[in-house]
Amino acid sequence: MRAVLHTREPALDDRWEDIVEATMIVPERSAYSIVEWSGAALGDATYLSAGSYRVRYSASGTDNAHPASTNFVADSDDYLLQLWPAPTAPDRVVKQTSSSAAYWHAYFSQQQHFTG
């Protein structure tokens, strides 16, 4: 997982299999970290100024990285998180090609408590 803070919206990179975007509101200058499911931080904290940010999550190799995959390859998945200042906008699926992304998009779209 890599995370990059941009000053403006970066160009889309078509090499990614799956891309989603959402808005993140930072109420006051705060430190943020990317953490694994276990809660372990993946790097140093990043300080963000108060405001509205767009967050783009891009992934590739997720189907083959799943242990239940018939084509399982350890460490074959790659992720990129990009943030930039932007007005609030609806969440959107930019690109979806993996079955892993299809599963999670369907799951969250059926959750009544999920507002994006």
Side-chain angles (χ1 to χ4, degrees):
M1 167 69 80
R2 291 171 289 133
V4 181
L5 178 60
H6 299 273
T7 56
R8 61 189 171 107
E9 181 177 358
L12 285 170
D13 184 346
D14 197 41
R15 77 176 182 95
W16 296 100
E17 294 174 355
D18 302 297
I19 305 170
V20 296
E21 291 182 359
T23 294
M24 180 173 86
I25 304 295
V26 176
E28 58 187 45
R29 181 172 166 79
S30 302
Y32 288 86
S33 296
I34 298 173
V35 297
E36 296 184 62
W37 288 104
S38 67
L42 294 177
D44 295 333
T46 298
Y47 287 88
L48 298 175
S49 297
S52 175
Y53 293 83
R54 196 69 177 159
V55 179
R56 180 182 295 153
Y57 179 75
S58 302
S60 287
T62 57
D63 286 344
N64 289 342
H66 192 283
S69 169
T70 57
N71 299 319
F72 175 69
V73 178
D75 298 325
S76 64
D77 48 341
D78 190 22
Y79 305 93
L80 174 64
L81 188 67
Q82 298 170 295
L83 298 94
W84 64 93
T88 301
D91 297 353
R92 73 181 187 127
V93 175
V94 177
K95 182 178 180 184
Q96 176 185 300
T97 62
S98 73
S99 59
S100 297
Y103 170 83
W104 288 110
H105 295 164
Y107 175 83
F108 282 114
S109 68
Q110 295 174 9
Q111 302 302 306
Q112 293 181 357
H113 67 275
F114 183 73
T115 58

